[in-house]
Amino acid sequence: MDKENYIKKAFEAIRAKNLSEPFQLAPGSTITDLEKYLESLKAAYLSAKDPRLENLFFQKIEKLKNI
């Protein structure tokens, strides 16, 4: 699956959870605007050239999916 399709499916799953804002993703990390956070993750994940950075953003998206 390419990055665009992965992001589309992952973000649909995250939005379907109807997370109430603000919420804590991790201690000290509060998400106040989910859409802005998702757009930021999308931009970073799509532009990542280094596999380590790509994996970092992939893990962040997966963590949101598993909340």
Side-chain angles (χ1 to χ4, degrees), residues 41-65:
L41 283 176
K42 178 181 177 181
Y45 184 60
L46 290 175
S47 67
K49 303 294 184 219
D50 185 332
R52 294 172 294 179
L53 285 175
E54 187 174 314
N55 188 45
L56 173 73
F57 294 114
F58 174 81
Q59 289 175 1
K60 290 182 180 290
I61 293 168
E62 286 296 308
K63 185 167 186 171
L64 277 173
K65 282 176 47 180

Side-chain angles (χ1 to χ4, degrees), residues 4-49:
E4 285 284 341
N5 285 331
Y6 167 72
I7 287 173
K8 182 180 178 187
K9 291 182 186 283
F11 286 10
E12 285 174 2
I14 293 166
R15 288 180 181 113
K17 293 179 181 281
N18 291 323
L19 299 169
S20 62
E21 298 168 351
F23 64 94
Q24 277 200 321
L25 189 57
S29 173
T30 302
I31 307 301
T32 57
D33 187 333
L34 180 60
E35 287 304 315
K36 284 183 182 178
Y37 186 67
L38 291 177
E39 285 303 313
S40 175
L41 283 176
K42 178 181 177 181
Y45 184 60
L46 290 175
S47 67
K49 303 294 184 219

